[in-house]
Amino acid sequence: MQKISLINAIQVFDSRGVPTISCKVSLEDGTSASAMVPSGASTGSKEALELRDNDISYHGKSVTKAVNNINNILSSLVIGKNPSNQKEIDELLISFDDTEDKSKVGANAILAISLATAHVAAKANKISLYKHFSKVYRDITGQNVTHCMPLPMFNILNGGEHADNNIDIQEFMIIPSGAKNFVQVMQWATEIYHNLKKILLKNNYSTAVGDEGGFAPSLDSNKEALRLIVDAIKESGLVPGKDVNIALDCAASEFFDDNKYILKGERKELSSIQFVDYLDDLIQNYPIVSIEDGMDENDKDGWKLLTERLGSKCQLVGDDLFVTNKKILKDGINEEMANSILIKFNQVGSITETIETIHFANQNNFESIISHRSGETEDTTIADLAVGLGIGQIKTGAPCRSDRVAKYNRLLWIEEESSNILLK
Ligand code: 2PG
Ligand code: MG
């Protein structure tokens, strides 16, 4: 195998026009591949550190320190290494940093190299990236994977930190659960999306979109958002609760203050118990099968109550709660919080640690959902990660805006080229 001969990184821009890192890894024979790092807006407090310059340029958001760390420091650690040895490379970078949150060199710097290394290794071995990810999973865990196409959660109505409207719940997503293949998944999702646009227009609501490509109208309540989505599903000739289900990401940490869940859009202030009742009521009245971050990340009692009350009838996903961190997930499982985990590799900062967390979730019967960030690029690595690790679910925004659609388009090509890979 050709060894790594050069690593270089530059500052590029994400879907919000905010600086991020693009990193290219080259091998001795000139083979090269690059990858880009995403960035969140509603971040969990225990996420690995995204190193930014915090000076006057780019409103403090430039990433030249992280870029320089790659070019001037980290590159020398991995030059000469075999790019197929993902774990060895990630561990070298992690141990050089030697902080809990990767704050010395930046999780964005480490992840950029980690991702680009996987891409160049797949290219050098002349295999698809998803097949390479299966190999890396086997190297790290000793276990084989059955490939599958993931079922997406399409975020078609945006609120919270991702939109300038009055909706408190951050993401209203549709899941085309009854579709027979990924082509049909996309047809249903886009038809519903465009019917929702027509319904919003008919009601004189805005059809401007939020950070993840979903519509961002101001509405009377979260229930109104759900009603409009159910109407759009029916208008598409599909049956809510059978063909298409609904998932929510409350991102509740963003509206939890002074021990209260403050729904500004509905002028409500709810205790943890009352907010669990509120979510229970939504589940009973709408075909909701999954709720992410239903409680604030530090409201442990709220999470336990939510899991006890709704855990048997709904997927409860920990995002800010677990931040893709195996240790934090372990504690959460012991305390009986949630029943599944959202996976974002920039929350933890390397492919190896991401895979270790997914493996731990698998061993504990926790479902994993592979996820984008609200600040994205045209990088499609997460599509291959989902297929290669046999993860049945992905969320990567609305079927709108290239930063979101790029991942869905990549999945369409994977299905086209490998007809034996089926929806989970
Ligand atoms: C989330 C994500 C992605 P952000 O909360 O799940 O949808 O948002 O990247 O802003 O954390
Ligand atoms: Mg979330």
Side-chain angles (χ1 to χ4, degrees), residues 357-378:
T357 301
I358 291 172
H359 181 54
F360 187 74
N362 288 343
Q363 288 175 313
N364 286 279
N365 296 321
F366 260 49
E367 291 288 326
S368 294
I369 299 107
I370 303 292
S371 173
H372 64 160
R373 297 308 306 244
S374 51
E376 267 293 336
T377 68
E378 61 271 35

Side-chain angles (χ1 to χ4, degrees), residues 42 170-171 249-251 292-293 319-320 342 344 371 395:
S42 61
Q170 180 178 279
E171 300 170 25
D249 179 3
C250 297
E292 179 183 330
D293 281 352
D319 170 16
D320 293 352
L342 200 77
K344 297 164 163 168
S371 173
K395 71 163 197 174

Side-chain angles (χ1 to χ4, degrees), residues 120-327:
V120 82
K123 203 166 172 185
N125 287 311
K126 297 190 173 53
I127 54 171
S128 287
L129 182 60
Y130 72 87
K131 288 188 183 155
H132 175 68
F133 277 136
S134 309
K135 272 179 67 196
V136 175
Y137 187 83
R138 197 167 53 237
D139 289 348
I140 293 175
T141 68
Q143 294 194 353
N144 289 321
V145 181
T146 308
H147 294 145
C148 70
M149 296 301 299
L151 192 57
M153 299 171 168
F154 293 91
N155 181 9
I156 60 172
L157 208 146
N158 297 184
E161 288 297 296
H162 296 167
D164 291 326
N165 58 2
N166 66 347
I167 302 291
D168 298 295
I169 291 183
Q170 180 178 279
E171 300 170 25
F172 293 80
M173 297 174 278
I174 48 166
I175 309 174
S177 318
K180 62 177 191 292
N181 56 26
F182 205 77
V183 168
Q184 191 166 55
V185 160
M186 291 308 298
Q187 185 180 347
W188 288 5
T190 50
E191 287 176 359
I192 294 166
Y193 183 77
H194 291 114
N195 277 325
L196 179 59
K197 183 171 185 171
K198 284 186 196 156
I199 292 170
L200 292 171
L201 282 172
K202 211 162 64 194
N203 286 281
N204 289 322
Y205 287 137
S206 163
T207 57
V209 299
D211 286 358
E212 300 189 346
F215 300 111
S218 282
L219 301 171
D220 286 344
S221 63
N222 291 312
K223 277 196 172 172
E224 185 178 18
L226 288 162
R227 265 198 309 274
L228 293 166
I229 289 172
V230 165
D231 287 349
I233 297 171
K234 288 184 183 156
E235 195 60 34
S236 310
L238 296 163
V239 183
K242 179 171 167 275
D243 299 322
V244 181
N245 288 302
I246 295 178
L248 301 176
D249 179 3
C250 297
S253 301
E254 302 298 328
F255 52 82
F256 185 70
D257 194 26
D258 209 10
N259 281 320
K260 290 262 180 307
Y261 290 88
I262 301 172
L263 301 177
K264 284 206 187 97
E266 300 182 13
R267 288 184 208 81
K268 284 185 179 139
E269 292 198 5
L270 305 176
S271 67
S272 301
I273 298 174
Q274 288 169 323
F275 195 53
V276 171
D277 288 339
Y278 178 93
L279 293 175
D280 196 4
D281 176 56
L282 293 186
I283 293 186
Q284 284 178 35
N285 288 288
Y286 297 93
I288 296 168
V289 296
S290 178
I291 298 180
E292 179 183 330
D293 281 352
M295 293 281 137
D296 172 74
E297 61 170 272
N298 294 314
D299 183 9
K300 298 258 149 86
D301 291 338
W303 264 107
K304 284 184 211 165
L305 183 69
L306 181 76
T307 309
E308 198 182 303
R309 285 268 305 277
L310 307 187
S312 61
K313 45 185 176 179
C314 190
Q315 175 170 272
L316 299 174
V317 188
D319 170 16
D320 293 352
L321 180 68
F322 297 139
V323 292
T324 313
N325 182 309
K326 184 176 150 185
K327 261 194 243 148

